[in-house]
């Protein structure tokens, strides 16, 4: 179990909920095509954050946090 100081929390501004989703994204003007940056999202903010990234053409993948860890992603 994660301790409070190691807890993964949602990336939405002001949200302190536990993250259950990983939103992998890439800004093609700044990053190489294989580079993936990540935002974390709770269930409540998953759609909002995904839409924000998708509107800009940055969103590459949305994966459950547990699955992201299982596949050894950074």
């Amino acid at each position: 179990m994660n301790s409070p100081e190691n807890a993964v929390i949602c990336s939405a501004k002001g949200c302190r909920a536990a993250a259950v989703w990983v939103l992998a994204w890439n800004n093609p003007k700044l990053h190489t095509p294989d580079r993936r940056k990540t935002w974390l999202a709770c269930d409540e903010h998953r759609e909002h954050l995904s839409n924000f990234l998708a509107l800009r053409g940055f969103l590459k993948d949305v994966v459950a946090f547990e699955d992201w860890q299982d596949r050894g992603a950074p």
Side-chain angles (χ1 to χ4, degrees):
M1 181 173 215
N2 285 335
S3 62
E5 58 273 355
N6 292 331
V8 290
I9 60 167
C10 180
S11 297
K13 185 175 181 178
C15 185
R16 303 303 297 164
V20 292
W21 298 99
V22 175
L23 286 61
W25 62 277
N26 171 298
N27 180 340
K29 292 182 181 179
L30 302 175
H31 308 118
T32 59
D34 60 328
R35 172 94 188 267
R36 292 294 179 267
K37 306 235 346 145
T38 57
W39 281 356
L40 302 174
C42 63
D43 281 329
E44 181 181 346
H45 291 111
R46 175 188 172 189
E47 185 175 354
H48 171 74
L49 293 173
S50 293
N51 288 341
F52 179 89
L53 292 168
L55 183 65
R56 290 153 179 80
F58 296 171
L59 186 63
K60 300 300 180 191
D61 202 4
V62 178
V63 180
F65 183 78
E66 288 180 5
D67 294 341
W68 186 262
Q69 286 185 305
D70 289 346
R71 68 183 192 187

